[in-house]
């Protein structure tokens, strides 16, 4: 069933049930009230009869009762034993009308020959001194008529209410579904034509539908941005791979042409091909690393000092350079993935060694519930205007130098991806001619 039909059906049925309940209550209350007032009237009349009998003891009570017979009703007197005395208008035969001797007051509505009657029975002292029951009966003619009229009025009122409700339900459904329909058609169009079309925001109140449209547009923006970034990445990656491939190709052609009689050239070409193959391998590995590290892979409690020590060991032997490690006595733990965090420190220390010639300092310190790992070098530094772009994929400040040192421009992008996935941040502080410090800030696991 369509949402529009659902909304309309729900509002109509809900309101119909509500109207029925309200009308039934009105009908029932009106009936109760009317019956009560008729019974009260009869009770008053009983009291009047009793006092009139007391005041006029010279008139035979049977005759006195005649004066009090209600129009469309009767008065009956039940002795404890024997036949009752009936006084009524001759129009209706009350012979079989229910009633009996009772020594307490009874007020009720009785159905007799298809009509409703209000009856009040009360014990009184008769002229003979015995206790009898006086019953007054009155046909509820007006009540029947009034209840019928009320029913018609309520049915008419229900129709008058339900019609606008159906129309309002329809309008509401239209109002709600219009933006949803627009959203569906825009999404379909986008899917079909590979477009990034957005929805035109209406200047209506900032309701949930407006929020939905706004969020949709934001989602389109973010999808487009991601898509563009992917495109740039693919184009950059192809560009990066193109250089080593053409170098390999040209050396292969050189070998083919002049390699046979030139052993020096063979050696040089093979070295170059080997080095470019290594470069391509590194590039591919780093591209995979970039994709792989968008999420933390298996969270554990990681001892950062231990991870830093292990990272340093790899470098100390390989570079033969001085790396100073300042560690705190007490171990600092963070929640994360050991191998991924190790890769970040590896990238930062590797860069510090690549882009400087003297000592590299690595330190770790705890500040409140944060831990800051700093990697400082005393190299050439990074120009201020380049710092904001450092973490972009394939971005290199000095392309030639980076290429010579085997750099791909992906290291810092990988480091940032890993640290972000760990809920941390990475900062750079650099001064030309003085050096550079990279700071990794993570939440401590206490
Ligand atoms: P690469 O593989 O080229 O080193 P990175 O993403 O690790 O790629 O670094 C991006 C660029 O940032 C580098 O090419 C280099 O120009 C610059 N850079 C990174 N670390 C340092 C540093 N410690 N000192 C100076 N420049 C640096």
């Amino acid at each position: 069933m369509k949402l529009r039909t659902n909304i309309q059906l729900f509002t109509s049925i809900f309101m119909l049930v509500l109207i029925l309940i309200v009308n039934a209550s009105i009908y029932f209350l009106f009936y109760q009230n009317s019956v009560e007032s008729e019974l009260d009237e009869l009770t008053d009349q009983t009291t009047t009869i009793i006092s009139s009998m007391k005041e006029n003891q010279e008139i035979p009570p049977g005759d006195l009762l005649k004066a009090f017979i209600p129009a469309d009703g009767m008065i009956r007197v039940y002795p404890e034993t024997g036949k009752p005395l009936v006084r009524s208008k001759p129009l209706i035969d009350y012979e079989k009308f229910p009633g009996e001797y009772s020594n307490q007051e009874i007020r009720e509505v009785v159905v007799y020959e298809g009509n409703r009657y209000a009856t009040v029975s009360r014990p009184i002292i008769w002229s003979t001194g015995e206790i009898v029951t006086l019953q007054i009966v009155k046909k509820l003619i007006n009540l029947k008529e009034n209840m019928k009229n009320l029913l018609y009025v309520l049915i008419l009122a229900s129709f008058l209410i339900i019609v606008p409700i159906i129309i309002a339900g329809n309008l509401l459904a239209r109002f709600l579904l219009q933006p949803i329909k627009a959203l569906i058609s825009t999404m379909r169009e986008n899917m079909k034509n590979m477009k990034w079309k957005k929805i035109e925001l209406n200047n209506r109140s900032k309701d949930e539908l407006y929020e939905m449209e706004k969020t949709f547009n934001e989602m389109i923006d973010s999808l487009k941005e991601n898509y563009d970034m992917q495109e740039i990445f693919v184009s950059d990656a192809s560009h990066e791979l193109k250089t080593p491939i053409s170098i390999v190709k040209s050396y292969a052609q050189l070998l083919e042409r002049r390699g046979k009689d030139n052993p020096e050239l063979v050696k040089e070409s093979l070295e170059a091909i080997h080095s470019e193959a290594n470069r391509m391998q590194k590039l591919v590995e780093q591209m995979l690393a970039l994709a792989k590290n968008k999420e933390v892979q298996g969270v554990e409690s990681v001892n950062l000092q231990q991870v830093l020590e292990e990272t340093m060991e790899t470098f100390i032997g390989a570079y033969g350079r001085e790396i100073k490690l300042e560690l705190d006595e007490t171990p600092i733990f963070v929640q994360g993935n050991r191998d991924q965090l190790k890769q970040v420190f590896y990238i930062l220390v590797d860069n510090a060694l690549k882009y400087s010639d003297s000592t590299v300092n690595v330190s770790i310190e705890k500040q409140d519930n944060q831990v800051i790992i700093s990697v400082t070098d005393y190299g050439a530094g990074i120009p201020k205007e380049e710092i904001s772009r450092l973490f972009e994929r394939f971005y290199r400040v000095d392309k030639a130098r980076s290429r010579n040192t085997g750099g791909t421009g992906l290291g810092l992008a990988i480091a940032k991806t890993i640290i972000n996935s760990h809920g941390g941040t990475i900062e750079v502080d650099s001064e030309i001619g003085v050096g550079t410090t990279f700071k990794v800030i993570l939440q401590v696991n206490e």
Side-chain angles (χ1 to χ4, degrees), residues 78-81 99-104 106 123-124 130-133:
Y78 290 95
E80 194 172 357
T81 52
E100 60 188 356
Y101 173 81
S102 153
N103 52 10
Q104 53 186 321
I106 301 168
I124 59 167
E130 73 173 311
I131 294 181
V132 295
T133 302

Side-chain angles (χ1 to χ4, degrees), residues 254-441:
L254 198 66
L255 278 178
E256 201 175 39
R257 272 188 280 123
R258 293 176 22 210
K260 279 184 216 124
D261 5 272
N262 199 337
E264 251 325 282
L265 186 75
V266 174
K267 191 169 173 268
E268 186 197 321
S269 304
L270 285 179
E271 272 172 12
I273 289 172
H274 191 242
S275 137
E276 291 307 314
N278 279 344
R279 184 172 169 72
M280 278 193 278
Q281 189 182 8
K282 188 174 174 193
L283 250 171
V284 172
E285 277 169 7
Q286 291 211 304
M287 284 195 281
L288 285 174
L290 206 56
K292 202 175 78 181
N293 286 305
K294 286 202 169 99
E295 279 165 21
V296 185
Q297 289 155 9
V299 182
E300 56 196 320
S301 187
V302 184
N303 181 340
L304 281 183
Q305 273 105 324
Q306 216 174 49
V307 174
L308 279 172
E309 272 173 339
E310 283 171 21
T311 316
M312 294 317 122
E313 272 164 26
T314 331
F315 285 106
I316 289 164
Y319 278 75
R321 292 259 302 274
E322 191 186 4
I323 305 175
K324 279 191 192 153
L325 192 56
E326 287 171 41
L327 294 181
D328 226 46
E329 294 271 299
T330 41
I332 302 169
F333 287 90
V334 294
Q335 280 292 101
N337 183 276
R338 188 187 168 79
D339 292 339
Q340 285 178 303
L341 289 173
K342 200 167 174 180
Q343 192 172 2
V344 173
F345 303 139
Y346 184 91
I347 291 168
L348 296 182
V349 177
D350 186 41
N351 276 352
L353 291 166
K354 272 192 313 195
Y355 301 109
S356 76
D357 301 316
S358 56
T359 318
V360 168
N361 283 343
V362 178
S363 70
I364 176 166
E365 66 171 318
K366 204 176 137 198
Q367 277 181 14
D368 301 325
N369 57 346
Q370 288 187 325
V371 54
I372 303 167
I373 304 104
S374 311
V375 179
T376 306
D377 66 65
Y378 305 97
I382 306 161
K384 285 260 172 305
E385 61 279 10
E386 308 275 356
I387 284 181
S388 61
R389 301 199 58 193
L390 275 190
F391 298 95
E392 285 177 20
R393 295 177 287 199
F394 299 111
Y395 189 78
R396 281 161 288 180
V397 179
D398 181 347
K399 294 227 181 256
R401 172 138 200 231
S402 173
R403 191 163 210 291
N404 288 341
T405 53
T408 58
L410 287 174
L412 288 179
I414 295 171
K416 190 173 170 38
T417 312
I418 294 176
I419 292 303
N420 285 354
S421 70
H422 279 72
T425 48
I426 180 161
E427 293 173 2
V428 196
D429 191 9
S430 183
E431 206 172 316
I432 296 288
V434 179
T436 308
T437 299
F438 279 87
K439 280 184 187 165
V440 170
I441 303 160

Side-chain angles (χ1 to χ4, degrees), residues 83-100:
K83 268 188 88 165
L85 167 74
V86 181
R87 290 285 175 265
S88 68
K89 296 268 154 77
L91 298 170
I92 302 165
D93 178 13
Y94 287 100
E95 195 57 41
K96 295 198 179 94
F97 194 89
E100 60 188 356

Side-chain angles (χ1 to χ4, degrees), residues 53-325:
M53 276 167 75
K54 260 190 207 151
E55 280 161 21
N56 305 294
Q57 286 187 356
E58 69 284 359
I59 306 174
D63 295 342
L64 191 85
L65 289 180
K66 273 186 195 159
F68 291 98
I69 301 170
D72 283 312
M74 68 140 173
I75 297 181
R76 194 157 44 180
V77 178
Y78 290 95
E80 194 172 357
T81 52
K83 268 188 88 165
L85 167 74
V86 181
R87 290 285 175 265
S88 68
K89 296 268 154 77
L91 298 170
I92 302 165
D93 178 13
Y94 287 100
E95 195 57 41
K96 295 198 179 94
F97 194 89
E100 60 188 356
Y101 173 81
S102 153
N103 52 10
Q104 53 186 321
E105 187 172 298
I106 301 168
R107 289 157 57 97
E108 59 185 349
V109 173
V110 174
V111 179
Y112 178 66
E113 289 181 351
N115 290 309
R116 279 171 197 277
Y117 291 83
T119 78
V120 172
S121 304
R122 189 192 279 183
I124 59 167
I125 300 168
W126 196 239
S127 54
T128 55
E130 73 173 311
I131 294 181
V132 295
T133 302
L134 176 71
Q135 183 190 35
I136 303 191
V137 175
K138 188 186 170 197
K139 193 174 172 187
L140 298 171
I141 313 172
N142 285 348
L143 180 71
K144 199 174 171 186
E145 205 46 38
N146 289 346
M147 292 314 293
K148 210 159 79 185
N149 286 342
L150 179 67
L151 189 70
Y152 291 149
V153 169
L154 291 178
I155 290 174
L156 186 72
S158 305
F159 270 111
L160 288 181
I161 296 172
I162 203 75
V163 171
I165 283 171
I166 291 174
I167 296 172
N170 198 306
L171 290 178
L172 177 75
R174 262 171 213 265
F175 172 77
L176 289 178
L177 294 181
Q178 202 186 359
I180 298 175
K181 275 186 181 166
L183 193 73
I184 294 172
S185 89
T186 314
M187 285 199 273
R188 286 214 174 111
E189 201 182 324
N190 281 347
M191 277 194 305
K192 206 167 144 199
N193 308 325
M194 272 305 288
K195 274 184 166 180
W196 304 106
K197 201 177 156 194
K198 293 202 251 176
I199 283 186
E200 205 180 306
L201 289 181
N202 290 322
N203 275 340
R204 58 162 188 269
S205 67
K206 308 243 176 308
D207 54 18
E208 284 82 353
L209 290 172
Y210 175 87
E211 281 302 315
M212 182 187 76
E213 292 174 340
K214 204 169 133 239
T215 314
F216 174 80
N217 285 352
E218 284 165 6
M219 186 189 75
I220 290 286
D221 280 341
S222 127
L223 282 176
K224 185 170 182 328
E225 198 181 310
N226 268 330
Y227 183 82
D228 290 346
M229 271 169 66
Q230 293 295 339
E231 288 230 305
I232 293 170
F233 178 72
V234 171
S235 125
D236 285 351
S238 336
H239 186 80
E240 292 294 326
L241 283 168
K242 231 161 72 184
T243 318
I245 289 172
S246 21
I247 295 175
V248 168
K249 244 172 103 180
S250 44
Y251 271 109
Q253 280 165 352
L254 198 66
L255 278 178
E256 201 175 39
R257 272 188 280 123
R258 293 176 22 210
K260 279 184 216 124
D261 5 272
N262 199 337
E264 251 325 282
L265 186 75
V266 174
K267 191 169 173 268
E268 186 197 321
S269 304
L270 285 179
E271 272 172 12
I273 289 172
H274 191 242
S275 137
E276 291 307 314
N278 279 344
R279 184 172 169 72
M280 278 193 278
Q281 189 182 8
K282 188 174 174 193
L283 250 171
V284 172
E285 277 169 7
Q286 291 211 304
M287 284 195 281
L288 285 174
L290 206 56
K292 202 175 78 181
N293 286 305
K294 286 202 169 99
E295 279 165 21
V296 185
Q297 289 155 9
V299 182
E300 56 196 320
S301 187
V302 184
N303 181 340
L304 281 183
Q305 273 105 324
Q306 216 174 49
V307 174
L308 279 172
E309 272 173 339
E310 283 171 21
T311 316
M312 294 317 122
E313 272 164 26
T314 331
F315 285 106
I316 289 164
Y319 278 75
R321 292 259 302 274
E322 191 186 4
I323 305 175
K324 279 191 192 153
L325 192 56

